[in-house]
Amino acid sequence: MREHGVGAPELLGRLERRQSSEPDVHAGRLFGLVYPSGRSDLEDLIVEVNRRYLFGNALNPFRFPELAALEAEVVSAVASLLHRPETGQRAGAMTSGGTESILLSMLVHRERARAGGIELPQILAPASAHPAYAKAAHYLGLELVQIPLDGAWRADAEAARSLVTARTAVIVASAFSYPYGIMDPVEELAAIAAGAGAGCHVDACIGAFVLPFLKRLGHDVPPFDFSVPGVTTMSADVHKYGYVPKGASVVLHRADDWFDLQGFLYGKWGAGLYGSAAMAGARPASPIACSWAVLNYLGLEGYTEIVSGLAEITARLRSFLEGLAGVEIVGDPIGPVLAVRSDPDLDLHAVADAMADRRWYLNRNLDPRGLQVMLSPGHASVMDEFMADLTTSLAAVRGGASAGRRHDGDARYS
Ligand SMILES: *Cc1c(COP(=O)(O)O)cnc(C)c1O
C-alpha cells in the first residue's frame, strides 16, 4: 500500500494504458468471455442502472426490500421463460454466475441424497459438461462420474443408464454444451434420473437466453427445460446471452421446498440471526438491477430480434466453415457456439496463433483438437473481416508460413 495517494487523472491514464494492452471487449475480437450485444441503447441503459446501484448490497432483503423484489422478479421471469410451473412460491435465486448456480444445485441434490442415507452421493455429468461440476464435487464432497459422449458428441444416454447406481444424486444435461454447442438428450437423461429417484440438472448457462428464442423463430429446438418431466433444477446465466455484465446468473428449482435447502441460517454469534440464500455474503446490487432492467427493456420480443440476428451470422459462419477444405464442424451444434476440427495435416491451433497475430482470439479445443467459436450479436459488424482473416490465416498455415509457432493458448480459462 503506498503512503501518498495518486491523483485521479493520473490513475485513469495508467488504467487506460494497461487496459489498452488487452483485447477491447467491445471490438468483437473475442469469442466467449464477453458477449457484446452490439446494441448501444442497451449498453447505455446498463451503464445508467449500474451507476445507480453500484454501491448497493443485496445481503439483507429486509433493509433493501425493493432490491430483493427486483431479484424475485428476475427469478420469476427466467422461471417462466424456462416453463417452471407457476406455484406462487419462490423458485430460486440470483447468483454471481453459472458456477455458483451449479454449486448450489449440486448442494441441494447432495442434501436430498444425504437425507436418503447416501453418504457419498454421485454426480453423473457428460464428459462435455462444464468444469463447475468437478468443482462442485471437490468443494462439496461428491463423486463425479463422467458420462461418455456418443458419436454425435452428445452425452450417451445408454451409457448414462448403465452408470446409474444407488448413490446417483443427480444427472446433468447441457443445453447446450460449452465445448461444442451441442444439445445433450435432455428428455432421455431426465427420464433415467427420474426412474432412478435422482434429480436432473439442466445446464442452460449458455442456452437459456438463446434456445427459447430460436424456438420462437421456428428453429427445431427439442424440449430442454422444466417442460421435460424429471428436470429438477436449471442454471441460466444472464451474464452471457442475457447481455448483462458479469455477476448475474439464476438457479431454479422445480419443487417449492428445494430453494430452502440452498439457503443458510446461523445465529450463534453476537450479532443476531444471519441468513443468505446463495454462497456469497455481501452481494453486489448492480447485477440484480441490471438484469431486471435488461429483461424488462428487451422482453421476449427484443430477445427474439437479437437472436434472429445472431442466428443469421451463425448460419453465415457455419456455411463458410463448411466450405473450407479439410475443415469440419464438430457434430450438429444448435446455436451460436461452433467447434471445428481438421484433417491431420492442418493444425488448427497454428491457425489460432495466426489469427491472434491479427488480434482475433479464438478458443482452442483439445478433443477433438480444433477451434471453438462463440458468436455474439456484436460480431455482425466484423464478420466479413473475420472470415477474410481466417482465409488468410488458413492459407498461411497450409503454406508453412506459420509453422513452428508457440501455440500459447492451450491452457484455457473460459
Ligand atoms: C459458462 C458456463 C458455466 C459456468 O458459468 P460461469 O458464469 O463462468 O461461472 C457453466 N456451464 C456452462 C454450459 C457454461 O457455458
Side-chain angles (χ1 to χ4, degrees), residues 334-355:
I334 193 165
V337 175
L338 308 174
V340 288
R341 61 193 301 180
S342 64
D343 291 347
D345 61 342
L346 173 67
D347 183 7
L348 287 174
H349 289 197
V351 174
D353 288 338
M355 286 296 275

Side-chain angles (χ1 to χ4, degrees), residues 97-100 102 130 132-133 174 176-178 203 205-206 237 239-240 374:
T99 299
E100 189 184 351
I102 288 164
H130 193 275
Y133 300 94
S174 301
F176 33 89
S177 71
Y178 182 95
D203 186 337
C205 281
I206 24 178
D237 290 353
H239 69 196
K240 287 179 178 161
M374 218 160 182

Side-chain angles (χ1 to χ4, degrees), residues 13-24:
R14 286 191 206 171
L15 283 177
E16 196 171 310
R17 281 193 296 280
R18 294 177 77 154
Q19 205 170 20
S20 68
S21 70
E22 294 175 340
D24 177 351

Side-chain angles (χ1 to χ4, degrees), residues 26-277:
H26 284 103
R29 318 293 289 200
L30 295 160
F31 299 86
L33 292 179
V34 294
Y35 297 73
S37 66
R39 285 270 299 264
S40 57
D41 58 329
L42 191 60
E43 293 203 359
D44 289 348
L45 173 68
I46 290 168
V47 168
E48 179 55 28
V49 174
N50 186 59
R51 192 182 66 76
R52 295 175 188 213
Y53 280 86
L54 188 56
F55 293 98
N57 184 355
L59 171 61
N60 186 338
F62 302 106
R63 191 67 68 236
F64 293 98
E66 280 305 321
L67 181 59
L70 293 181
E71 175 178 359
E73 287 173 38
V74 170
V75 168
S76 151
V78 179
S80 111
L81 178 69
L82 299 175
H83 300 108
R84 192 246 185 194
E86 183 65 65
T87 65
Q89 293 294 308
R90 189 158 168 171
M94 288 197 70
T95 68
S96 60
T99 299
E100 189 184 351
S101 292
I102 288 164
L103 287 172
L104 288 166
S105 167
M106 296 301 110
L107 171 69
V108 170
H109 285 96
R110 185 193 77 179
E111 295 304 285
R112 304 260 324 153
R114 288 221 176 133
I118 300 167
E119 265 176 45
L120 181 58
Q122 288 173 326
I123 303 170
L124 246 63
S128 54
H130 193 275
Y133 300 94
K135 191 184 246 184
H138 177 62
Y139 281 9
L140 301 171
L142 298 162
E143 185 181 319
L144 177 68
V145 178
Q146 277 201 337
I147 306 168
L149 306 184
D150 64 15
W153 303 90
R154 308 156 9 118
D156 186 328
E158 282 322 303
R161 193 187 302 281
S162 67
L163 286 169
V164 169
T165 71
R167 293 196 287 120
T168 305
V170 55
I171 300 181
V172 176
S174 301
F176 33 89
S177 71
Y178 182 95
Y180 319 116
I182 291 174
M183 296 288 276
D184 283 326
V186 174
E187 288 180 291
E188 286 165 83
L189 293 173
I192 293 167
C200 175
H201 177 92
V202 172
D203 186 337
C205 281
I206 24 178
F209 290 94
V210 175
L211 296 171
F213 308 110
L214 283 178
K215 187 156 187 233
R216 277 169 75 99
L217 289 162
H219 290 236
D220 187 14
V221 177
F224 69 96
D225 59 16
F226 288 110
S227 63
V228 177
V231 172
T232 51
T233 53
M234 293 189 71
S235 49
D237 290 353
V238 197
H239 69 196
K240 287 179 178 161
Y241 288 103
Y243 312 113
V244 167
K246 292 300 174 248
S249 174
V250 173
V251 58
L252 297 168
H253 307 282
R254 178 194 294 274
D256 284 344
D257 55 346
W258 282 33
F259 174 53
D260 294 341
L261 293 175
Q262 76 170 58
F264 182 75
L265 282 175
Y266 185 78
K268 291 185 228 160
W269 69 330
L273 189 63
Y274 178 98
S276 64

